[in-house]
């Protein structure tokens, strides 16, 4: 008996047409985790569809390690199959599967690449000084985060506890009172690099597989007390949310744009000949209400420069490593990608529903989505990254 076949119907206005095809890891009802691709409102089971054991895994890492030629061959085949009749057991409704963290993350680095965000925080934290520190226009500032607390979208976020500054000069310890978000774009490393060999700016496409939305949850009161002189630590490491879907860089070909002018000109190792900016617009929804639309096109440092700087000292990268852009913000208030900026440090509350709000309360939910120009002349979606705040424990 021949296998039952069906053709996946994709709405004309879908953000997940055959020009997109992001990858993720899912489990069908009663099944094990394996790799899939999203088409419309369905998930294509790549093990059943392609018969390739590289996809019979609970993460994308083996596929990432296979390199760009393999990525492009598989993508071309999936685009062909998207218009064909497919075995019914290879197609699952997206609302009927369990989604998991798409990659096994060995290292996580978070940058600080938005000039608008860095300027806003400089004005808030150092009102009597220049907002940008002297190194900011010379290198992509970043810190090494905690890979073990990167969680898949939808995982609840437990309010962190930590030390907080007090007026007495002696800190106290307790739940964060200034819990915040950071709307970011994450870049997933595919092919690794050898220890001791830097990755050049224009070698980006040979090493980075795709992008995924990130929310780098931040406890601003814990962060403000601990960050000098070594930078972020417990105020960041409690949770970072990652979208379940990784959009291949090839799907973003129509979103490539020049970077804003960089002054002064970066040092030679941070210069490239290609356009590595990206025209991506995010939307931040707080309890279902969109409060900001951060524009990634405004980012000062490109992901290619971030990767070049990350490896400039000879540090290697491995398949599945993640580096994120830092908060994405624009020059207007409704383009700010964090609540510390939107509320100007708590001094200018935001109206959310019927309430005036500054930072996150227990029970709040934040959902970040994004769209970009697609190669078919219509927008594509980058999925969503969401999380709901639960009370502190202990």
């Amino acid at each position: 008996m021949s296998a039952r076949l069906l053709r996946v119907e994709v709405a004309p206005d879908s953000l997940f047409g055959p020009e997109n095809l992001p990858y993720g890891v899912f489990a069908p009802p009663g099944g094990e985790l394996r790799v899939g691709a999203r088409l419309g409102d369905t998930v294509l089971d790549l093990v059943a569809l392609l018969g390739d054991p590289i996809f019979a895994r609970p993460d994308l890492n083996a596929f990432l390690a296979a390199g760009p030629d393999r990525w492009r061959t598989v993508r071309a085949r999936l685009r062909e199959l998207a218009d064909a009749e497919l075995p019914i057991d290879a197609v699952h409704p997206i609302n009927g599967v369990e989604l998991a963290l798409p990659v096994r993350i060995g290292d996580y680095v978070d940058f600080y690449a938005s000039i608008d965000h860095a300027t806003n925080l400089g004005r808030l934290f150092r009102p009597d000084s220049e907002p940008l520190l002297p190194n900011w226009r010379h290198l992509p500032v970043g810190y090494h985060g905690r890979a073990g607390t990167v969680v898949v979208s939808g995982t609840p976020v437990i309010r962190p506890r930590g030390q907080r500054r007090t007026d007495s000069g002696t800190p106290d310890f307790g739940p964060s009172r200034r819990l915040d978000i950071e709307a970011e774009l994450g870049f997933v490393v595919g092919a690794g690099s050898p220890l001791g060999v830097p990755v050049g700016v224009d070698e980006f496409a040979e090493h980075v597989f795709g992008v995924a939305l990130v929310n780098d949850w931040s406890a601003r009161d814990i962060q403000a007390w601990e960050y000098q002189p070594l930078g972020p630590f417990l105020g960041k490491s409690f949770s970072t949310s990652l979208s379940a879907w990784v959009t291949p860089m090839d799907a973003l070909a129509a979103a490539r744009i020049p970077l804003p002018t960089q002054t002064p000109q970066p040092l030679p190792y941070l210069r490239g000949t290609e356009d590595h900016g990206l025209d991506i617009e995010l939307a931040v929804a707080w309890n279902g209400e969109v409060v900001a639309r951060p524009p990634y096109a405004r980012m000062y440092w490109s992901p290619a420069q971030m990767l070049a700087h990350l490896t400039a000292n000879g540090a290697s990268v491995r398949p599945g490593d993640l580096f994120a852009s830092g908060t994405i913000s624009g020059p207007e208030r409704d383009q700010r990608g964090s609540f510390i900026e939107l509320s100007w440090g708590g001094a200018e509350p935001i109206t959310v529903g019927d309430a005036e709000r500054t930072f996150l309360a227990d029970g709040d939910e934040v959902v970040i989505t994004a769209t970009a120009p697609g190669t078919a002349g219509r927008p594509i979606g980058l999925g969503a990254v969401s999380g709901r705040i639960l009370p502190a424990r202990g």
Side-chain angles (χ1 to χ4, degrees):
M1 181 182 296
S2 61
R4 294 171 58 199
L5 303 175
L6 64 79
R7 188 183 301 274
V8 177
E9 299 293 336
V10 179
D13 60 350
S14 173
L15 297 175
F16 298 95
E19 70 276 20
N20 190 349
L21 294 171
Y23 292 85
V25 169
F26 79 103
E32 300 292 327
L33 290 172
R34 77 280 309 273
V35 176
R38 181 169 179 178
L39 178 62
D41 293 326
T42 67
V43 180
L44 305 182
D45 183 338
L46 301 191
V47 179
L49 196 59
L50 302 178
D52 190 333
I54 202 170
F55 299 117
R57 297 171 50 92
D59 55 63
L60 279 160
N61 290 51
F63 179 53
L64 301 179
D69 290 342
R70 183 73 175 280
W71 308 339
R72 289 159 193 154
T73 298
V74 170
R75 178 170 170 78
R77 180 58 178 151
L78 289 179
R79 295 198 66 173
E80 292 173 357
L81 292 172
D83 295 323
E85 290 188 326
L86 305 177
I88 196 168
D89 63 353
V91 180
H92 301 274
I94 195 167
N95 57 8
V97 304
E98 174 193 351
L99 296 174
L101 196 68
V103 292
R104 186 178 70 257
I105 302 167
D107 281 296
Y108 165 53
V109 173
D110 196 25
F111 284 94
Y112 189 47
S114 163
I115 194 167
D116 297 295
H117 175 66
T119 299
N120 285 337
L121 290 196
R123 288 172 176 159
L124 283 167
F125 295 159
R126 299 180 300 277
D128 299 323
S129 305
E130 285 295 316
L132 295 180
L133 293 173
N135 65 345
W136 199 91
R137 288 181 179 270
H138 293 275
L139 57 85
V141 174
Y143 72 93
H144 201 128
R146 186 175 177 86
T149 50
V150 179
V151 297
V152 70
S153 172
T155 303
V157 177
I158 298 169
R159 182 178 297 275
R161 294 159 57 88
Q163 286 196 24
R164 306 164 302 194
R165 178 189 285 118
T166 66
D167 293 338
S168 71
T170 300
D172 66 6
F173 182 88
S176 171
R177 301 188 184 103
R178 293 166 68 89
L179 189 55
D180 197 359
I181 68 156
E182 292 193 344
E184 306 190 16
L185 197 60
F187 299 88
V188 176
V189 174
S193 63
L195 185 65
V197 180
V199 176
V201 170
D202 287 335
E203 296 174 318
F204 175 81
E206 301 305 304
H207 291 275
V208 173
F209 174 76
V211 303
L213 287 169
V214 167
N215 186 346
D216 187 34
W217 306 90
S218 300
R220 300 299 185 186
D221 42 359
I222 297 172
Q223 179 185 0
W225 175 240
E226 72 178 4
Y227 86 103
Q228 299 182 52
L230 291 183
F233 187 34
L234 300 184
K236 298 277 193 174
S237 63
F238 59 95
S239 186
T240 299
S241 296
L242 180 70
S243 170
W245 298 106
V246 181
T247 301
M249 292 307 304
D250 284 348
L252 293 168
R256 294 278 290 273
I257 57 173
L259 284 175
T261 301
Q262 294 180 321
T263 305
Q265 185 181 35
L267 293 174
Y269 79 98
L270 289 172
R271 300 176 200 166
T273 60
E274 302 178 21
D275 290 334
H276 291 291
L278 291 168
D279 181 13
I280 297 174
E281 182 175 281
L282 284 71
V284 178
W286 190 349
N287 293 341
E289 183 174 338
V290 174
V291 295
R293 295 189 181 276
Y296 193 85
R298 286 276 305 178
M299 297 298 275
Y300 188 89
W301 294 105
S302 75
Q305 290 172 315
M306 296 178 215
L307 180 62
H309 186 64
L310 191 162
T311 60
N313 67 345
S316 61
V317 289
R318 296 169 293 178
D321 282 359
L322 175 69
F323 63 96
S325 62
T327 304
I328 303 163
S329 291
E332 306 300 328
R333 186 186 186 195
D334 64 358
Q335 295 177 323
R336 298 171 184 170
S338 66
F339 297 158
I340 192 171
E341 293 173 89
L342 276 171
S343 70
W344 206 246
E348 301 174 6
I350 312 147
T351 300
V352 181
D354 297 328
E356 295 290 294
R357 305 295 302 279
T358 52
F359 294 95
L360 290 162
D362 293 345
D364 282 353
E365 182 180 43
V366 176
V367 180
I368 303 170
T369 54
T371 57
T375 56
R378 60 182 178 182
I380 62 171
L382 275 65
V385 61
S386 67
R388 186 180 297 276
I389 307 303
L390 299 184
R393 297 177 181 171

